[in-house]
Amino acid sequence: MATHIFFLGLLALCFTIAIATDNSPLQDFCIADSTSPVILNGLACKDPKLAQANDFSFSGLHIAGNTSNAVGSRVTPVTVAQLSGLNTLGISFARVDYAPGGINPPHLHPRASEILTVLKGCLEVGFVTSNPDNRLITKVLQKGDVFVFPVGLIHFQRNAGQHNAVALAALSSQNPGVITIANAVFGSNPAISSDILAKAFQTDNKIVNDIQSKF
């Protein structure tokens, strides 16, 4: 009986590990066919005989993103939407530019962990653990430093220096997704009732309405 329980537990663990990331490909590659009418978990493959080098290449990450916006940062993503050869490979990439004082505001990736490397400048980074602890894990990074954000946890970056900063991020999904907390909570369509948000944030409707008007 104990042996059976052990093997059942081992099977459950293996199954959990297997579904923790994007599914493994069953062929050399599966270039995304954005014109296919087939709907599935991912993107349909185009004929591999039609594969070209450009299906596996993306240009432009040497170009600084425009940080002239409310948060002072710009993310340049390289997911399967920009690079069709990433389909089924379970990885993606991004460049993040930060103006002095700029932030990549609190957000999460529902389908990916992230590893971030600072190429230029100084970044304050951090993530918050899940309920009930809600512990903030934070660190100031310098050029060449690396930090990991676990999948599904709220995280952020802030340029803590006096000059522009640049980071590169690798993510464990071809389509990691992003939920920016402020946009989702205060800028949903249709809007979440101000009564609900006022109670959740322990404030009044007027303040909630004012914040919602900015999104």
Side-chain angles (χ1 to χ4, degrees):
M1 181 67 178
T3 302
H4 290 163
I5 294 174
F6 171 78
F7 280 112
L8 286 173
L10 183 61
L11 179 62
L13 176 61
C14 292
F15 180 73
T16 301
I17 293 172
I19 64 173
T21 59
D22 289 351
N23 293 331
S24 297
L26 300 178
Q27 61 281 319
D28 287 345
F29 51 80
C30 171
I31 299 166
D33 182 0
S34 60
T35 65
S36 173
V38 177
I39 299 174
L40 42 75
N41 185 24
L43 295 168
C45 310
K46 78 176 186 180
D47 187 341
K49 295 185 181 66
L50 302 177
Q52 303 290 330
N54 284 343
D55 293 321
F56 304 94
S57 174
F58 177 89
S59 298
L61 285 188
H62 64 292
I63 301 172
N66 183 359
T67 59
S68 298
N69 53 56
V71 296
S73 72
R74 176 71 63 184
V75 177
T76 304
V78 187
T79 69
V80 70
Q82 293 79 32
L83 181 55
S84 58
L86 288 175
N87 196 34
T88 76
L89 298 184
I91 55 172
S92 57
F93 205 65
R95 169 178 172 144
V96 192
D97 289 272
Y98 313 81
I103 64 169
N104 190 6
H107 63 282
L108 62 87
H109 303 292
R111 295 179 288 276
S113 295
E114 174 183 349
I115 182 166
L116 181 120
T117 304
V118 180
L119 293 188
K120 175 183 177 182
C122 172
L123 293 179
E124 176 188 356
V125 305
F127 65 85
V128 179
T129 63
S130 55
N131 296 350
D133 293 339
N134 300 131
R135 182 183 172 202
L136 174 62
I137 309 293
T138 185
K139 184 177 178 65
V140 175
L141 306 181
Q142 306 294 335
K143 179 179 177 180
D145 289 346
V146 174
F147 199 83
V148 173
F149 304 108
V151 59
L153 295 186
I154 295 172
H155 59 282
F156 64 87
Q157 302 104 42
R158 180 177 71 91
N159 185 350
Q162 302 300 313
H163 305 285
N164 292 340
V166 181
L168 293 179
L171 300 105
S172 61
S173 172
Q174 67 181 45
N175 182 26
V178 59
I179 300 172
T180 304
I181 306 307
N183 298 57
V185 173
F186 294 105
S188 66
N189 184 21
I192 299 174
S193 168
S194 59
D195 292 340
I196 295 173
L197 295 181
K199 189 166 187 177
F201 287 92
Q202 301 179 38
T203 186
D204 59 58
N205 286 17
K206 182 178 179 181
I207 292 175
V208 170
N209 291 332
D210 181 58
I211 297 174
Q212 286 179 320
S213 70
K214 294 176 170 58
F215 291 89

